[in-house]
Amino acid sequence: MSQQTNQSWGGRFSEPTDAFVERFTASVDFDRRLYHHDIRGSKAHATMLERVGVLTVDERDAILDGLAQVEGEIEAGQFPWSVALEDVHMNIEARLTEKIGTTGKKLHTGRSRNDQVATDIRLYLRDEIDVIDAELTRLRSGMIELADREADTIMPGFTHLQTAQPVTFGHHLLAWQEMVARDQERLRDCRKRVNVMPLGAAALAGTTYPIDRHVTAELLGFERPAENSLDAVSDRDFAIEFVSFASLLLMHLSRMSEELVLWTSAQFDFIDLPDRFCTGSSIMPQKKNPDVPELVRGKSGRVYGHLIGLLTLMKSQPLAYNKDNQEDKEPLFDTLDTVKGCLKAFADMVPAIEPKAKSMFEAARKGFSTATDLADYLVRKGVAFRDAHEVVGQSVAYGIEQGKDLSEMSLDELRQFSDAIADDVFEVLTLEGSVAARNHIGGTAPNQVRAAAQRARDALTAMTSLKSAGSTSSGGA
């Protein structure tokens, strides 16, 4: 083999790779973040090879010791990364061989970079999912506790961004919590399909060496080895599924961000965000800008783009592995970084939201938010709902003309629209009475909001306990 060709595959080549092509095809600049998982996979592979008799004990020990030294160099910032060696895998293997000699060349026995990289990505993504899962737990916990504290704080509920019916701030926060709870369930479900081991599939057809894939899977904490070698090396569904989860999560965070941006405006004035989550203006000294939620709202677009990019990447690939798949890492890595950053921002920020109860209450008094309560009142008095709807519509029209809310009208004013209205009507026209009347599971009554917060708290505790038990049983070496 020419000294100028790549040591991992240059045997059949008669000339070196073009310098541009070398840079164009290299991935080491971005896949080096997989180094810990690449080394972890190599240690498990070497351990398995010794158990089945492919390596001697001394060879295994030399490889394990050498890999530990290489990892130490990387973590100390002393590792000589080389674009000529293309990727993280060959950089580590070449350095291992420099350290321990010919024995280092035996590490790759029975595997290919195809199953190696697929394994590395799954190991890396599995660990990152666990980090994200913990942040989701922290965010949900913050939402639940704030909701419990604000179970009595009345605010307007909206449809079409028009005042609809009064709710409470706690009830609204628990709606956010429900969104994130579904996201966390999706993430955990995704993790099950990430936790399948491709190693042993080799390039595409397996290997003739007497490997034991169950040993390697156990060492690495995988649930099982992948069933089919062709699929094992070419599957990127797990990455697409994760980015799909991330897109839904960012969609939810973007919706929440939109509300936070609106609520901090002078026009709404529902909440205040602590200064540490905001910035000012270089020209307008009075400004306090909600940059954190605005940026989270904006970052949803890049994650959506990564989802479309990965789907497009895979849509036309014949089995098995293709070089196209090198393009899976940057969108996946950027999605991971984006999700972790957005979740940290929200998990820190949400518990620090300072509601302005008076502003919320006054806003709920506008827009005839108890009109539906008046219609329900009339139905209970024996009026057909469609007739009650008409009566309340006439009452609202009168209120608009007179500049009065329903609760501000006299009994005589209300009775001009229906003789069924009596002096007990004012019990349902107050905001407090309206909120308290929806006293059922999922309703707005403060006691129901507190009960819902407790159920959410209990569910989160149970989910966390289940996760802890699963990590203990399948965490791997």
Side-chain angles (χ1 to χ4, degrees):
M1 182 176 71
S2 167
Q3 293 299 311
Q4 293 180 302
T5 57
N6 188 295
Q7 61 178 319
S8 68
W9 47 257
R12 62 96 66 219
F13 286 77
S14 60
E15 63 177 357
T17 306
D18 180 85
F20 166 75
V21 172
E22 186 176 83
R23 293 191 304 273
F24 184 69
T25 59
S27 60
V28 67
D29 286 344
F30 53 83
D31 69 15
R32 66 176 64 180
R33 71 162 70 189
L34 297 173
Y35 78 89
H36 172 74
H37 301 87
D38 189 75
I39 290 172
R40 183 180 175 188
S42 291
K43 287 180 177 179
H45 183 65
T47 300
M48 181 276 295
L49 289 178
E50 184 276 323
R51 289 191 189 180
V52 300
V54 174
L55 292 179
T56 67
V57 172
D58 288 343
E59 289 171 333
R60 177 205 63 192
D61 290 346
I63 288 171
L64 295 181
D65 181 64
L67 287 171
Q69 293 180 45
V70 170
E71 187 166 27
E73 286 184 349
I74 295 173
E75 291 176 347
Q78 299 171 346
F79 187 84
W81 296 104
S82 169
V83 171
L85 291 170
E86 296 184 18
D87 55 35
V88 61
H89 324 293
M90 290 314 304
N91 268 267
I92 289 173
E93 184 180 320
R95 185 60 174 160
L96 175 68
T97 301
E98 288 178 7
K99 285 184 169 295
I100 67 173
T102 302
T103 299
K105 297 181 180 180
K106 296 184 178 184
L107 172 61
H108 209 54
T109 304
R111 75 176 182 185
S112 162
R113 280 190 294 177
N114 294 356
D115 63 341
Q116 185 179 0
V117 66
T119 300
D120 290 358
I121 295 173
R122 286 175 183 264
L123 286 171
Y124 176 77
L125 181 55
R126 189 180 68 187
D127 283 354
E128 293 293 281
I129 283 175
D130 291 343
V131 172
I132 291 168
D133 185 84
E135 283 295 274
L136 286 168
T137 296
R138 193 163 71 91
L139 174 56
R140 289 179 62 192
S141 180
M143 288 177 171
I144 292 166
E145 297 312 312
L146 184 58
D148 201 6
R149 292 197 302 272
E150 303 299 332
D152 294 289
T153 304
I154 292 175
M155 68 177 292
F158 299 94
T159 61
H160 308 276
L161 204 56
Q162 306 297 311
T163 299
Q165 292 178 277
V167 296
T168 73
F169 189 44
H171 191 64
H172 196 112
L173 288 166
L174 288 179
W176 288 3
Q177 194 279 147
E178 288 295 315
M179 297 179 194
V180 182
R182 293 193 296 272
D183 292 327
Q184 191 166 21
E185 290 172 2
R186 273 186 283 268
L187 178 66
R188 292 195 175 190
D189 197 51
C190 171
R191 190 186 190 279
K192 297 174 185 176
R193 283 172 287 283
V194 172
N195 202 28
V196 177
M197 187 190 74
L199 202 59
L204 76 161
T207 177
T208 58
Y209 293 97
I211 62 172
D212 189 334
R213 298 182 69 212
H214 291 284
V215 168
T216 318
E218 182 179 357
L219 289 169
L220 293 173
F222 283 112
E223 186 68 28
R224 61 179 175 84
E227 286 287 338
N228 183 279
S229 60
L230 290 167
D231 182 61
V233 297
S234 59
D235 169 40
R236 294 299 184 271
D237 292 2
F238 65 94
I240 295 171
E241 185 175 0
F242 172 80
V243 181
S244 177
F245 144 80
S247 296
L248 279 167
L249 171 65
L250 264 293
M251 179 268 288
H252 288 147
L253 295 184
S254 182
R255 292 181 68 187
M256 298 171 203
S257 294
E258 176 73 5
E259 291 185 319
L260 291 173
V261 171
L262 288 172
W263 292 348
T264 56
S265 69
Q267 289 69 30
F268 277 77
D269 197 33
F270 284 3
I271 66 167
D272 189 37
L273 292 178
D275 290 353
R276 62 185 180 276
F277 298 108
C278 303
T279 64
S281 166
S282 62
I283 188 172
M284 296 171 284
Q286 84 281 10
K287 293 294 296 296
K288 180 178 176 180
N289 299 325
D291 278 15
V292 168
E294 286 178 353
L295 193 56
V296 170
R297 184 177 59 185
K299 285 181 180 293
S300 61
R302 69 191 293 162
V303 174
Y304 297 171
H306 292 326
L307 176 59
I308 296 301
L310 285 172
L311 287 166
T312 306
L313 173 71
M314 297 303 301
K315 74 176 182 65
S316 300
Q317 287 195 34
L319 290 171
Y321 181 84
N322 299 276
K323 188 67 171 179
D324 311 44
N325 285 353
Q326 182 170 297
E327 290 296 302
D328 65 352
K329 297 172 192 62
E330 289 179 288
L332 177 61
F333 294 163
D334 186 69
T335 298
L336 284 163
D337 294 343
T338 300
V339 166
K340 287 192 295 182
C342 291
L343 278 176
K344 175 174 171 49
F346 256 71
D348 289 346
M349 179 178 61
V350 167
I353 292 173
E354 299 171 7
K356 296 183 177 180
K358 184 177 179 180
S359 293
M360 289 183 178
F361 188 88
E362 289 303 314
R365 285 166 53 86
K366 302 173 183 177
F368 304 93
S369 64
T370 59
T372 304
D373 297 278
L374 178 56
D376 291 342
Y377 167 87
L378 289 169
V379 170
R380 288 194 296 271
K381 294 286 187 175
V383 180
F385 180 78
R386 282 301 166 201
D387 292 335
H389 192 283
E390 177 69 17
V391 167
V392 176
Q394 293 171 357
S395 303
V396 169
Y398 174 80
I400 293 172
E401 180 183 320
Q402 298 297 316
K404 289 183 177 181
D405 184 66
L406 294 172
S407 62
E408 296 172 328
M409 296 180 192
S410 68
L411 182 59
D412 288 341
E413 285 177 302
L414 290 169
R415 283 180 61 82
Q416 67 181 305
F417 304 106
S418 174
D419 292 337
I421 296 176
D423 56 7
D424 61 346
V425 70
F426 295 104
E427 296 175 11
V428 304
L429 293 183
T430 66
L431 297 178
E432 294 88 349
S434 175
V435 167
R438 294 187 285 277
N439 190 22
H440 53 75
I441 186 169
T444 60
N447 64 299
Q448 291 291 347
V449 173
R450 291 191 178 90
Q454 186 58 51
R455 288 193 298 272
R457 192 182 291 113
D458 292 343
L460 184 56
T461 299
M463 176 181 268
T464 304
S465 299
L466 183 63
K467 176 66 177 179
S468 298
S471 298
T472 301
S473 62
S474 63

